[in-house]
Amino acid sequence: MAATAQLFERLAWRTPGGGSKGGAEAFDPKRLLEEFQNHIEELKQLDERIQRRVEKLEQQCHREAKEFARKVQDLQRSNQVAFQHFQELDEHISYVATKVCHLGDQLEGVNTPRQRAVEAQRLMTYFNEFLDGELRSDVFNNPDKIKEAADIIQKLHLIAQELPFDRFADVKAKIASKYHDLERQLIQEFTAAQRRGEIGRMRETAAVLLHFKGYAHCVDVYIKQCQEGAYLRNDVFEDTALLCQRVNKQVGEVFCSPETVMAKLIQNIFENKLQTHVRDKLEETRQSDSEQYLKNLYDLYTRTTALATKLTEFNLGSDKHTFLSKLIKNIFSSHLESYMDMEREYLRTRSSMILQRYYDSKNHQKRPMGTGSIQELKERIRQRTNLPLGPSIDTHGETFLSQEVVVNLLQETRHAFERCHRLSDPSDLPKNAYSIFLLLVEHLCVDHIDYALEIGLSAIPSADAKNANLYFLDVVQQANTIFHLFDKQFNDHLMPLISSSPKLTECLHKKKEVIEQMEVKLDTGIDRTLNCMVGQMKHILTTEQKKTDFKPEDENNVMIQYTTACSKVCAYVIKQVERVRQSMDGKNVDTVLTELGVRFHRLIHEHLQQFSYSSMGGMLAICDVAEYRRCAKDFRVPLVLQLFDTLHALCNLLVVAPDNLKQVCSGEQLTNLDRNLLHAFVQLRADYRSSRLGRHFS
């Protein structure tokens, strides 16, 4: 519709008088109608011409379609005729082929007996020569025809096996002699060709020898000759790998069954070269040097298995992994059977020697630790009462723990785990690894750490000792470091060996048992050490604190900020807090400092209740407690700081005006305290009775 409108618009535009009324020429509708009628007539004529052309093209298309259909029908008929001819030709060819096959079978049926007869006649001729004792045929006398002679003599040898011995003993001996002579010549020729590197000649000779009994000998000669000059270096394993790699390329070109020859070569190397090398290397140290023997055994076994892994790249038959495993087992079986006993004995001896050497360097005669029911009874008493059983000894600051000793013990055990992993049968691996772990526990945890803890406990002085040196915290620090090393080895080297076996439960149980035993002794030692610290603080307070400190004779002439006893106690406490932080890690620091802080607070609280306080003395007591509180901040424990905040608030009761006592006692820090405790502090005031503070307090 849009195209028609545009057509009318253009036609009206071109027609004079056909434009709009506002144009240059007046609008003439008749003229425009006439122009439209003329154009419509032209369009009708154009339509008729196009219609006639379409009809003409349709008629032409129908004629060509009929012609094409006729040609297709002619081609189909021709194709059917050709297909029939092809079928007839195929049937004729099949018929001829059948006839030819039948004729070939008939010819073969006639020719095969004829060839056999000719071959039999030829063999009978050669047999007659052996029967006459004179070999006249050129095939037996011409060296260039040795292959043909070998074929003949091999067949004659088979025939001779069937002949009766009594009648043909002489000829059988002659044929056998010639058989062995030719076999020897062929082997010599093969050997010479191998020396010259003539692969083609070797292949031909080996193919001839394949039907002889001496073929195995030919392979043996080849294997022996391959190894000549192959082992010129000291590394027999590397030489073997290079030799097999070189020979593997050659056997495929020479022998018809290269996998058999290659397997025989490797077996020969393992049973001779490698076994001799392993035996010589191990026997020289088996009785004299257990450490070197174990190292050599591990190294040789590792290198042998690595070599076997390389050899699996070659074609050695269907089950090459089992084949190589048997060869390795044959070499090492006698050594692996006794390996674990020797490993345990060496580890036990070596660990004992490391420990003894350390104690000798310290000029220390190791004290025997009690065993049995008496020791168990002492341990129970000590755990329940925290009393030192037996005399205290002076270790002169020696912890009897050595990281060097620990590293040596762990290193020896790590090597033992590595050897155990490599040399143990998979079914025995968890059991063997567990036995090594028990030796580590015995020598590291019991003979070294536990012994050091016992000595450390014995060296802790009594709580009332003066100027005591508390070395047990050093023992704690070193024991903690050592146990981290022990735990790392447990996870890194033992766990992979037992993770999928029932021995895992036993190892975890044993480890837990050892940890708990050491923790009990550590807790006991730390508790007694804290008692000693508190005892030392108490000694300082007893010797340095004077009654006149809190009840000075001249109230107006007090120039100090806090007392000497407070200063010395704070200095001592700060030093001990730092020692605790250095000796422990993790949550243990907060736990021990909390306990020390609580005891420190209890001591100061009880100490302050021993004095009577004047007004200025009360102020000085508040200054002391403020200094104690500043010291308590070093603990970084909220509970300890809260306790000293409360104590500081209590000390305010020593100086507050009587009329303000109730108000102070109702303060935030004192409101929840026991009234008896508050009353006890008020009673410490020098003016308690004279000022009737009891009346104000009640």
Side-chain angles (χ1 to χ4, degrees), residues 634-661:
D634 288 346
F635 285 73
R636 302 172 196 168
V637 178
L639 173 62
V640 176
L641 188 58
Q642 181 183 352
L643 290 174
F644 277 93
D645 285 341
T646 303
L647 183 60
H648 187 270
L650 281 172
C651 289
N652 287 330
L653 298 177
L654 301 175
V655 298
V656 71
D659 295 337
N660 296 331
L661 273 177

Side-chain angles (χ1 to χ4, degrees), residues 175-378:
I175 292 175
S177 175
K178 189 64 177 178
Y179 177 89
H180 294 303
D181 183 55
L182 283 174
E183 186 179 65
R184 179 180 52 79
Q185 292 181 37
L186 288 169
I187 293 176
Q188 290 176 351
E189 185 173 342
F190 180 87
T191 304
Q194 184 179 1
R195 293 185 185 279
R196 294 191 299 268
E198 298 177 357
I199 302 299
R201 188 65 176 168
M202 292 168 62
R203 180 172 56 251
E204 294 174 1
T205 308
V208 175
L209 278 169
L210 181 62
H211 304 291
F212 281 77
K213 295 179 180 179
Y215 178 73
H217 182 59
C218 172
V219 174
D220 292 339
V221 170
Y222 174 78
I223 290 174
K224 180 180 179 181
Q225 202 157 292
C226 282
Q227 299 179 56
E228 293 179 359
Y231 293 93
L232 299 178
R233 298 180 295 180
N234 293 329
D235 194 341
V236 65
F237 297 98
E238 188 64 26
D239 288 338
T240 298
L242 294 175
L243 170 64
C244 292
Q245 191 173 10
R246 174 172 57 83
V247 171
N248 183 62
K249 299 178 180 179
Q250 193 178 78
V251 292
E253 301 175 358
V254 175
F255 298 98
C256 61
S257 55
E259 68 280 358
T260 305
V261 179
M262 198 67 194
K264 196 169 184 179
L265 168 66
I266 292 174
Q267 182 178 358
N268 181 273
I269 293 173
F270 270 71
E271 292 179 351
N272 293 284
K273 287 288 184 182
L274 291 184
Q275 190 160 18
T276 301
H277 176 74
V278 170
R279 183 178 62 249
D280 295 343
K281 196 81 172 176
L282 294 178
E283 290 301 329
E284 64 184 11
T285 57
R286 187 166 191 170
Q287 302 299 329
S288 58
D289 190 346
S290 298
E291 180 181 9
Q292 192 59 45
Y293 170 80
L294 291 171
K295 289 181 179 179
N296 290 343
L297 178 60
Y298 174 79
D299 179 65
L300 291 170
Y301 189 84
T302 300
R303 300 196 67 187
T304 303
T305 52
L307 174 62
T309 302
K310 289 182 180 179
L311 297 180
T312 55
E313 300 174 1
F314 308 133
N315 183 12
L316 305 178
S318 58
D319 198 1
K320 53 188 173 184
H321 294 283
T322 303
F323 169 70
L324 291 170
S325 298
K326 287 182 178 179
L327 294 179
I328 295 174
K329 185 177 180 181
N330 291 338
I331 294 176
F332 291 97
S333 58
S334 60
H335 300 281
L336 296 181
E337 289 174 357
S338 59
Y339 153 70
M340 202 58 216
D341 293 336
M342 183 168 288
E343 183 72 80
R344 282 192 291 263
E345 182 61 30
Y346 164 73
L347 190 59
R348 184 180 291 106
T349 303
R350 178 66 176 171
S351 300
S352 299
M353 185 191 72
I354 292 173
L355 290 173
Q356 189 59 47
R357 187 169 57 191
Y358 167 72
Y359 294 124
D360 290 343
S361 69
K362 299 295 181 181
N363 294 320
H364 174 73
Q365 181 65 38
K366 195 172 182 183
R367 300 172 59 193
M369 294 292 102
T371 58
S373 57
I374 296 178
Q375 178 65 17
E376 292 176 0
L377 179 61
K378 287 183 177 181

Side-chain angles (χ1 to χ4, degrees), residues 452-470:
L453 293 178
E454 287 287 347
I455 295 296
L457 287 172
S458 302
I460 297 175
S462 60
D464 56 354
K466 301 177 182 180
N467 299 320
N469 291 319
L470 304 177

Side-chain angles (χ1 to χ4, degrees), residues 9 56-57 72 102 148 163 198 234 247 256 260 288 347 354 363 408 439 510 612 649 686 690:
E9 186 177 349
K56 183 178 178 181
L57 290 174
V72 170
H102 179 67
E148 185 180 350
L163 298 176
E198 298 177 357
N234 293 329
V247 171
C256 61
T260 305
S288 58
L347 190 59
I354 292 173
N363 294 320
N408 289 335
L439 289 174
K510 185 65 178 179
S612 177
S690 62

Side-chain angles (χ1 to χ4, degrees), residues 383-436:
Q383 291 176 14
R384 295 183 180 182
T385 64
N386 198 23
L387 295 174
L389 301 179
S392 175
I393 63 173
D394 187 3
T395 61
H396 303 287
E398 180 59 57
T399 63
F400 291 103
L401 286 173
S402 168
Q403 287 197 25
E404 181 182 357
V405 169
V406 173
V407 169
N408 289 335
L409 290 174
L410 292 176
Q411 186 175 9
E412 292 292 343
T413 309
R414 177 172 63 84
H415 292 325
F417 281 135
E418 291 174 352
R419 289 191 292 264
C420 175
H421 187 199
R422 175 67 66 179
L423 301 176
S424 294
D425 186 89
S427 60
D428 296 331
L429 177 58
K431 177 185 67 176
N432 293 343
Y434 179 65
S435 65
I436 293 174

Side-chain angles (χ1 to χ4, degrees), residues 32-48:
L32 182 60
L33 177 60
E34 183 181 352
E35 190 68 25
F36 278 165
Q37 290 174 347
N38 292 336
H39 272 281
I40 291 172
E41 188 63 30
E42 290 177 3
L43 290 174
K44 288 181 178 179
Q45 293 174 2
L46 179 61
D47 180 64
E48 290 176 357

